C-alpha cells in the first residue's frame, strides 16, 4: 500500500517544464487534424501496466522518463522549411488575370485563397496557400501572361525546426504522463480519493496533449503548403503628342472651376442677404429724395 501511494505521489509530481501552454500557431485557416497523418503516434499503454496486479515502478524524485520518440526528435533542416514565393510582373488587364489565378487555385486540390485585391484595371494582388507542385503551375500561367515573359521571382524560407522539435517533445512527454495516469486509474486497489485526483490530472494532461497535437498539425500544414503571392501591374502607356500641354490644360481647367465656385458662393451670399438689404435700400432712397427736395427748396 505504501508503494502504491508513493507511486501516485511521484507520478502526479512529474515535472512538465517542457509542456508549456503556448497556444500560438503558424497558420490561419488550417484544421488541427491536417497534420495528424504524419504526426508521431501516441504510445499505447503497456498490457503489463494495465493489469491489476502489476504496480508501476516508482521513479526517483526529479527523474524523468526518456521520451519514447527520442529518435524522431532529430531536426531535419530540409523537411522543416516553410517557403514563401513572391512574384511581380507587368500584364494587360490585371483584374481579369487575378480572377484567373483565383479560379486556378480553387480548381487545385489543397489550394486555399487568402487574399484577392484589385485596383480597377491598373493593378491586382493575389495570395494563396498551396501544395508545392502548385507553385510551378501558377508560375507557368504567369509566364504566359507576363509582358515579354518577364517575371520578378523571389523565394524565402522560414526554418521551423526548433518549433517542430519542441512540439514533438511536448507530445511525447504528455503521452507518457497520460499513459501512466491511465495505468494508475485502472488499478483495482485504488481508493476513491486517489481516483478523483488522478482523474483531474488526467483531464488536464489530455487537454494539453490535444493542444500540442493541434499545434503540430498547423506547423506541418505550413511546411507542406507554401505561401504564394503575386503582384500584377498594367503596362505604362506611352505619352501622346499633347502630353507636354497636359498639365497646363489641367491647371487651366481647375482654375476655371475654382473661379466659378467662388462666383457661386458670392451669388448665394447676396441672395441670402436680400431680405436684410431691401429695407436698407428703401431707407437710402428716401434719404436721397429728402436731401434733393431741401436743395430745391
Amino acid at each position: 500500500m505504501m508503494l502504491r501511494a508513493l507511486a501516485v505521489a511521484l507520478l502526479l509530481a512529474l515535472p512538465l517544464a517542457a509542456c508549456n501552454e503556448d497556444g500560438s500557431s503558424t497558420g490561419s485557416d488550417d484544421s488541427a487534424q491536417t497534420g495528424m497523418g504524419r504526426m508521431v503516434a501516441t504510445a499505447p499503454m503497456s498490457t503489463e501496466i494495465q493489469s491489476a496486479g502489476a504496480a508501476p515502478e516508482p521513479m526517483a524524485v526529479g527523474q524523468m522518463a526518456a521520451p519514447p520518440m527520442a529518435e524522431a526528435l532529430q531536426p531535419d533542416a530540409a523537411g522543416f522549411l516553410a517557403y514563401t514565393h513572391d512574384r511581380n510582373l507587368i500584364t494587360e488587364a490585371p483584374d481579369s488575370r487575378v480572377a484567373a489565378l483565383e479560379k486556378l487555385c480553387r480548381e487545385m486540390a489543397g489550394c486555399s485563397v487568402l487574399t484577392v485585391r484589385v485596383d480597377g484595371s491598373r493593378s491586382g494582388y493575389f495570395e494563396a496557400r498551396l501544395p508545392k507542385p502548385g507553385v510551378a503551375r501558377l508560375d507557368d500561367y504567369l509566364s504566359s501572361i507576363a509582358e515579354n515573359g518577364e517575371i520578378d521571382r523571389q523565394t524565402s524560407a522560414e526554418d521551423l525546426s526548433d518549433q517542430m522539435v519542441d512540439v514533438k517533445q511536448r507530445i511525447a512527454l504528455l503521452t507518457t504522463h497520460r499513459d501512466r495516469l491511465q495505468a494508475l486509474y485502472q488499478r483495482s486497489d485504488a481508493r476513491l480519493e486517489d481516483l478523483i485526483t488522478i482523474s483531474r490530472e488526467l483531464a488536464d494532461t489530455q487537454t494539453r496533449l490535444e493542444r500540442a497535437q493541434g499545434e503540430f498539425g498547423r506547423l506541418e500544414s505550413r511546411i507542406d503548403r507554401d505561401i504564394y503571392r503575386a503582384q500584377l501591374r498594367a503596362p505604362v502607356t506611352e505619352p501622346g503628342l499633347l502630353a507636354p500641354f497636359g498639365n497646363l490644360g489641367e491647371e487651366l481647367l481647375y482654375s476655371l472651376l475654382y473661379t466659378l465656385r467662388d462666383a457661386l458662393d458670392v451669388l448665394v451670399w447676396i441672395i441670402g442677404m436680400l431680405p436684410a438689404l431691401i429695407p436698407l435700400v428703401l431707407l437710402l432712397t428716401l434719404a436721397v429724395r429728402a436731401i434733393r427736395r431741401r436743395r430745391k427748396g
Side-chain angles (χ1 to χ4, degrees):
M1 183 66 65
M2 293 297 297
L3 181 61
R4 181 186 57 79
L6 179 61
V8 172
L10 291 177
L11 185 57
L12 293 180
L14 181 66
L16 294 175
C19 303
N20 55 44
E21 299 186 8
D22 182 14
S24 60
S25 62
T26 58
S28 57
D29 61 342
D30 302 307
S31 172
Q33 298 178 353
T34 55
M36 297 306 296
R38 278 180 14 192
M39 191 189 72
V40 60
T42 56
M45 187 164 53
S46 173
T47 55
E48 296 180 359
I49 296 179
Q50 292 180 9
S51 62
E57 297 182 359
M59 295 183 298
V61 177
Q63 179 182 0
M64 180 180 298
M69 303 185 305
E71 296 181 357
L73 298 180
Q74 298 299 326
D76 182 2
F80 292 161
L81 296 179
Y83 289 91
T84 301
H85 308 273
D86 291 287
R87 304 291 186 258
N88 290 274
L89 66 148
I90 298 176
T91 181
E92 297 286 349
D95 50 351
S96 61
R97 306 302 190 186
V98 170
L101 283 172
E102 184 178 2
K103 181 179 179 181
L104 285 175
C105 178
R106 298 192 183 280
E107 294 175 351
M108 188 185 310
C111 183
S112 302
V113 178
L114 301 180
T115 306
V116 172
R117 185 170 60 251
V118 176
D119 183 12
S121 60
R122 295 177 298 177
S123 65
Y125 177 79
F126 173 81
E127 181 179 3
R129 179 178 288 119
L130 71 170
K132 298 183 184 300
V135 175
R137 182 177 178 182
L138 294 188
D139 279 349
D140 292 341
Y141 173 73
L142 293 182
S143 298
S144 65
I145 64 173
E147 187 176 49
N148 300 325
E150 297 179 357
I151 301 178
D152 183 13
R153 306 170 187 260
Q154 182 178 357
T155 299
S156 59
E158 180 184 3
D159 189 2
L160 300 179
S161 301
D162 293 340
Q163 293 92 317
M164 290 291 288
V165 171
D166 175 72
V167 73
K168 281 184 177 181
Q169 186 175 15
R170 281 192 282 133
I171 290 175
L173 294 174
L174 288 167
T175 301
T176 301
H177 190 46
R178 181 201 62 184
D179 293 346
R180 290 176 183 271
L181 289 171
Q182 288 177 342
L184 288 175
Y185 190 82
Q186 294 175 358
R187 289 179 59 92
S188 59
D189 58 344
R191 296 182 303 175
L192 179 59
E193 54 268 25
D194 294 336
L195 292 177
I196 294 175
T197 303
I198 295 174
S199 178
R200 292 175 179 174
E201 179 68 15
L202 184 61
D204 180 69
T205 302
Q206 183 65 32
T207 299
R208 294 186 182 187
L209 178 59
E210 292 175 357
R211 188 178 304 165
Q213 290 172 347
E215 182 179 353
F216 182 89
R218 289 186 289 270
L219 282 169
E220 191 179 43
S221 178
R222 177 64 184 93
I223 294 172
D224 290 342
R225 297 198 298 165
D226 297 353
I227 297 294
Y228 192 92
R229 299 183 295 207
Q231 180 70 51
L232 292 75
R233 302 187 309 277
V236 180
T237 57
E238 295 293 335
L241 296 176
L242 299 179
F245 306 97
N247 293 336
L248 179 59
E250 186 177 355
E251 292 177 359
L252 291 175
L253 178 61
Y254 279 118
S255 299
L256 179 60
L257 291 177
Y258 290 147
T259 303
L260 290 176
R261 185 191 63 182
D262 295 340
L264 288 176
D265 291 341
V266 173
L267 180 60
V268 171
W269 181 82
I270 293 175
I271 294 175
M273 292 295 294
L274 281 179
L277 291 176
I278 291 176
L280 181 59
V281 171
L282 292 176
L283 291 175
L284 291 176
T285 303
L286 294 175
V288 171
R289 290 181 178 179
I291 294 173
R292 290 180 179 178
R293 289 177 182 176
R294 289 181 181 180
R295 289 180 179 181
K296 292 180 179 180

